[in-house]
Amino acid sequence: MRKFPIFFVIDVSESMVGETLSQLETGMRTITADLMSDPYALETAFLSVIAFAGRPRTLSAMTELTEFVPPHLPVGGGTGLGAALTHLMDEIDRNVTPSSSEQKGDWKPLVFLMTDGVPTDNPEQAVARWKRDYATRASLVAISIGGGADRRVLDALADEVLEFDDTAEGSFRKFIGWIT
């Protein structure tokens, strides 16, 4: 069966504590619920959640949509974006079946990278590897939460960087609705 892999790569650094992290958890539940109402997504979508602060960690391995339970997002120190990208690329290699002459592989993965800060590690090697080996194999949507993310790095990763810095009541819910 061909999968449509969706990866959430979420910054869980201390600057994301509180309402922002809570809204991200709610957003994952909303996206999951919206996907559950789509018959095509029910048959093909698989989701994974990678959280990163100082170190990245897979909170939810690649899971079929009907079995997916959005995890609680922990808090950590630092914003290891380079390490998170490396972890993501390793997860893509492990979980996404490429097409070959014998079989049709999985659909092109969709990655939602959400961060609010400046990397505390040096992401240059990971960004170069992404651009060289993964940029054409996956679609990456970079989202700057609160407008404080390092745009130089995000612009290098994604063709389009979305900025979410609206603090109005209900705006995050509308933003998540737009994503789905």
Side-chain angles (χ1 to χ4, degrees):
M1 172 207 312
R2 280 181 91 189
K3 300 184 302 246
F4 174 45
I6 301 170
F7 293 89
F8 293 98
V9 182
I10 301 173
D11 177 351
V12 294
S13 62
E14 292 165 334
S15 59
M16 297 284 282
V17 161
E19 188 64 24
T20 304
L21 216 50
S22 175
Q23 287 181 344
L24 285 173
E25 287 178 344
T26 300
M28 276 193 298
R29 286 191 296 274
T30 301
I31 290 170
T32 302
D34 286 351
L35 288 171
M36 292 285 269
S37 68
D38 181 331
Y40 185 70
L42 280 171
E43 292 180 12
T44 60
F46 283 69
L47 292 92
S48 177
V49 178
I50 298 169
F52 70 97
R55 293 182 328 182
R57 189 170 73 187
T58 299
L59 300 180
S60 177
M62 188 60 60
T63 305
E64 189 172 356
L65 174 61
T66 56
E67 304 295 320
F68 180 75
V69 176
H72 171 70
L73 299 174
V75 176
T79 306
L81 182 58
L85 287 171
T86 299
H87 187 84
L88 167 66
M89 292 181 279
D90 293 344
E91 288 292 302
I92 289 172
D93 289 344
R94 256 191 300 280
N95 294 295
V96 178
T97 304
S99 291
S100 69
S101 58
E102 295 86 37
Q103 71 174 0
K104 192 100 166 138
D106 292 334
W107 298 101
K108 186 176 187 176
L110 176 59
V111 178
F112 291 102
L113 171 64
M114 302 176 205
T115 183
D116 75 337
V118 176
T120 54
D121 63 356
N122 183 349
E124 288 181 19
Q125 283 186 322
V127 170
R129 180 180 168 208
W130 176 266
K131 288 167 61 173
R132 184 185 65 240
D133 300 331
Y134 294 85
T136 58
R137 292 177 33 203
S139 297
L140 189 140
V141 178
I143 303 167
S144 171
I145 306 289
D150 185 339
R151 280 298 301 254
R152 181 187 56 81
V153 174
L154 297 182
D155 286 337
L157 286 169
D159 292 333
E160 187 174 349
V161 177
L162 306 176
E163 292 213 22
F164 179 78
D165 58 4
D166 188 349
T167 58
E169 181 73 28
S171 60
F172 192 77
R173 191 175 313 113
K174 289 178 188 171
F175 180 69
I176 292 297
W178 178 85
I179 287 174
T180 61

